[in-house]
Structure formats: C-alpha cells, structure tokens
Amino acid sequence: MIQRFIELGEGYSDIYELVELARTNSHRVHRLLLLHTTKNELPVVSPVVVLKTAGEGNLQPLYVCREGIPDKEPSVKRLQLFEEVSEELSLPIIPLEVKPSSDFNEVELYYNHIIGILRLNHLIPPMQ
C-alpha cells in the first residue's frame, strides 16, 4: 500500500475544503489527525484527513493543510470546523507532536518522516 500526503494549502480557506472532503467521503475516512508543531517560534497545527483506499486501489491518501493554522487564538473557528467533523463522523481527533517541515530540506522528506511515525504508531497500515 502506498500512502501519500496531498497538500491542500496552508489552512486559511483550505480548511473548508478539507472539512468538506471528509464529509463527502465519510464512508472512507480512516482517521482524523492534528499535527502540532512550532513554526517560526509560533505554535501551529496541521489537520489531516486519512482516507481508506478507493476500491481495489493501492493508494491511501492523507489530505493535509500544512502548518497554516495557529494553535489557538484567532483560528478557533477553523479548528472548531475540524472538531465538528470529528463529532459528525464519530471519530476522535488524534493529536501528535511533530517536527516542523522547515527542519527538512524538502517537503517530501517531511511527509515521509510523518508517514513513518504514523506507521510506527499503527495509525496507518504498514507497507505491504
């Protein structure tokens, strides 16, 4: 199985798309994650919607709004939307503390690192 992050944007208006994606694919949602990190000395979060593979497909998409939502303060509404989807789908939001993507030379390396963490914690299936 191939797991791949699909970045929607940094979260200002993209969170609405992420939430709608979860709602319209409610039968495929596997997990809801909230990645906490510190970027430029400010705490930020990255909401992630992990979907199940489509039919006999071999791709498990992880949709993300990377590091664009401040942790608390004015972003409360955006985080509230993600929490509402969690309640609607009866799926808990799993929080994880991770390194910022700026610690990596390429965003793809960052995503590979996160996929490794998710596999080790049995949050997504292992490679087959």
Side-chain angles (χ1 to χ4, degrees):
M1 175 177 304
I2 299 166
Q3 285 110 357
R4 182 176 306 136
F5 273 93
I6 300 171
E7 192 170 312
L8 298 178
E10 294 189 352
Y12 287 97
S13 62
D14 304 296
I15 188 70
Y16 298 101
E17 186 65 28
L18 184 71
V19 165
E20 188 59 27
L21 204 147
R23 282 189 178 120
T24 57
N25 289 286
S26 60
H27 62 288
R28 289 185 57 204
V29 177
H30 177 66
R31 300 243 193 261
L32 298 175
L33 310 171
L34 198 58
L35 308 179
H36 296 264
T37 194
T38 303
K39 182 179 177 182
N40 300 325
E41 299 182 22
L42 297 172
V44 293
V45 294
S46 302
V48 181
V49 173
V50 182
L51 297 183
K52 298 172 188 167
T53 59
E56 294 182 29
N58 200 27
L59 171 69
Q60 182 173 33
L62 295 93
Y63 289 92
V64 63
C65 294
R66 180 174 50 98
E67 300 171 344
I69 301 174
D71 198 358
K72 312 276 187 274
E73 296 175 27
S75 70
V76 173
K77 175 64 175 165
R78 286 177 275 165
L79 291 178
Q80 221 170 32
L81 291 170
F82 199 60
E83 290 167 359
E84 287 171 11
V85 167
S86 169
E87 290 174 19
E88 286 174 29
L89 302 178
S90 298
L91 280 173
I93 296 173
I94 301 167
L96 292 166
E97 189 73 34
V98 297
K99 292 181 181 182
S101 61
S102 58
D103 282 4
F104 297 83
N105 287 332
E106 298 175 22
V107 173
E108 194 64 34
L109 294 174
Y110 168 72
Y111 287 138
N112 287 339
H113 173 74
I114 301 299
I115 286 172
I117 290 170
L118 298 176
R119 285 181 183 155
L120 283 172
N121 286 287
H122 306 285
L123 297 172
I124 58 174
M127 283 181 68
Q128 296 175 346

